[in-house]
Amino acid sequence: MQHVQTIWLTGATSGIGEALVTKFLAEGKRVALTARNDQKLSEIASRHQAGENLMYVAADVRNEDVLADAYDKIKAEWGVPDLVMANAGTHINMTANEISMEACRHLFEINLYGAVNTLLLPLPDMIERGSGHLVGVGSLSSYRGLPWAAAYGATKAGLNNFLQSLRFDVETYGVTVTAVNPGFVETQLTSLNPFPMPMIVSAERAAEYIWKGLSHKKMEVHFPPLFSWACKFMRILPYPIYHQIIRRVTGSANRRG
Ligand SMILES: NC(=O)c1ccc[n+]([C@@H]2O[C@H](COP(=O)([O-])OP(=O)(O)OC[C@H]3O[C@@H](n4cnc5c(N)ncnc54)[C@H](OP(=O)(O)O)[C@@H]3O)[C@@H](O)[C@H]2O)c1
């Protein structure tokens, strides 16, 4: 990733984000970490002993003012980051009896508004500078509806569309936009999934895929390739066939919440 020296990464204390911190530092990048848990941030910072290549600022991505303060601190220390990655996210499986407005709002506020909030903060500075890379972490579940993921899938589909549109709007200013769409990754987010997760990869493997994909500044980084291409193919199947396959694979027709 020659175009990047400094990175601001949200959701940096666990799973994919934590693995990315290790990868980015190993590749000689400067990384600013954000998540809510200050103690976890401090533990990760002392584990890496990365000196001036690592800084952290605790913030909740839902809180515009607090997140803006975090961005200002990073900018004051290192200048406008070269790459900003909105990775913070959460998931709650919801059956028909569990889905509620409160739970949906929670997911929308973190996964969609939180990501948009993160990416809009550096945008004016990147436009003024004439360079920058904005990255949002979506999911392969954004491609098409899945059981128990009505809210989660919608947040990730919304984020993907936001990123696709933004890429058009900012390209004339030298700024680029990428959507990262992972398949299943072994993290605390997937640890409670009550179904088999095909082709699941470790967070470290996910970080390798992301690193490689971001270097090419592509619109989309998706992985693992066999699974993500199968998901892309499923996108074009007629609904009755798609629904039948998904019901069979997930056993959703037999599960009532
Ligand atoms: N794991 C998968 O299979 C998978 C697949 C596709 C996409 N994804 C996406 O990948 C991203 C990372 O997921 P993961 O599996 O690595 O999850 P994870 O292990 O649960 O980590 C989530 C991270 O986000 C932070 N976070 C959560 N809510 C936040 C908030 N309101 N403000 C700031 N930080 C917040 C958490 O730290 P604090 O709790 O301290 O804030 C933590 O650092 C998410 O966007 C997820 O949707 C994951």
Side-chain angles (χ1 to χ4, degrees):
M1 266 211 293
Q2 281 167 357
H3 64 294
V4 172
Q5 283 313 314
T6 51
I7 297 167
W8 181 27
L9 173 69
T10 69
T13 52
S14 169
I16 296 170
E18 191 175 0
L20 279 171
V21 173
T22 306
K23 178 68 188 167
F24 290 152
L25 289 172
E27 297 290 344
K29 308 300 174 192
R30 282 188 151 183
V31 196
L33 285 52
T34 288
R36 289 166 300 184
N37 188 328
D38 199 43
Q39 197 185 327
K40 191 90 199 284
L41 284 164
S42 145
E43 280 166 23
I44 291 177
S46 31
R47 193 185 325 136
H48 282 291
Q49 305 227 316
E52 47 179 44
N53 281 345
L54 185 151
M55 67 176 288
Y56 65 88
V57 192
D60 187 324
V61 294
R62 291 170 293 184
N63 188 321
E64 281 182 49
D65 295 337
V66 170
L67 200 67
D69 284 348
Y71 173 66
D72 287 344
K73 272 188 198 140
I74 295 161
K75 195 170 113 177
E77 201 77 27
W78 290 348
V80 179
D82 299 318
L83 185 145
V84 173
M85 186 161 177
N87 166 68
T90 191
H91 179 35
I92 311 167
N93 280 299
M94 288 182 252
T95 63
N97 293 315
E98 289 159 347
I99 192 162
S100 67
M101 194 54 221
E102 190 188 357
C104 290
R105 187 176 292 117
H106 180 69
L107 292 194
F108 272 83
E109 281 178 353
I110 296 176
N111 294 0
L112 182 56
Y113 300 146
V116 171
N117 193 15
T118 306
L119 298 174
L120 290 188
L121 282 166
L123 181 60
D125 290 330
M126 287 182 171
I127 286 175
E128 195 185 327
R129 184 179 61 188
S131 69
H133 195 160
L134 297 172
V135 182
V137 178
S139 162
L140 294 182
S141 69
S142 65
Y143 288 179
R144 243 182 150 169
L146 288 166
W148 317 305
Y152 182 78
T155 64
K156 298 299 188 179
L159 180 58
N160 263 273
N161 201 297
F162 175 84
L163 296 167
Q164 286 164 24
S165 299
L166 194 65
R167 186 166 164 115
F168 284 116
D169 299 340
V170 300
E171 62 188 353
T172 50
Y173 297 98
V175 180
T176 195
V177 177
T178 297
V180 170
N181 287 322
F184 292 111
V185 183
E186 277 173 54
T187 67
Q188 68 180 20
L189 183 139
T190 46
S191 61
L192 297 177
N193 276 351
F195 50 82
M197 290 175 273
M199 297 189 202
I200 190 162
V201 298
S202 67
E204 290 70 29
R205 188 81 189 99
E208 291 290 340
Y209 281 123
I210 293 170
W211 168 263
K212 207 170 149 205
L214 290 180
S215 306
H216 299 294
K217 297 192 189 178
K218 283 192 291 192
M219 173 63 243
E220 189 191 13
V221 176
H222 56 89
F223 59 88
L226 204 59
F227 188 56
S228 55
W229 283 110
C231 292
K232 282 180 185 292
F233 171 69
M234 301 267 277
R235 251 194 319 200
I236 57 166
L237 291 177
Y239 277 111
I241 298 172
Y242 172 73
H243 281 177
Q244 204 170 342
I245 293 171
I246 296 298
R247 275 192 210 106
R248 193 166 298 165
V249 171
T250 61
S252 67
N254 304 319
R255 187 175 166 213
R256 306 181 90 170

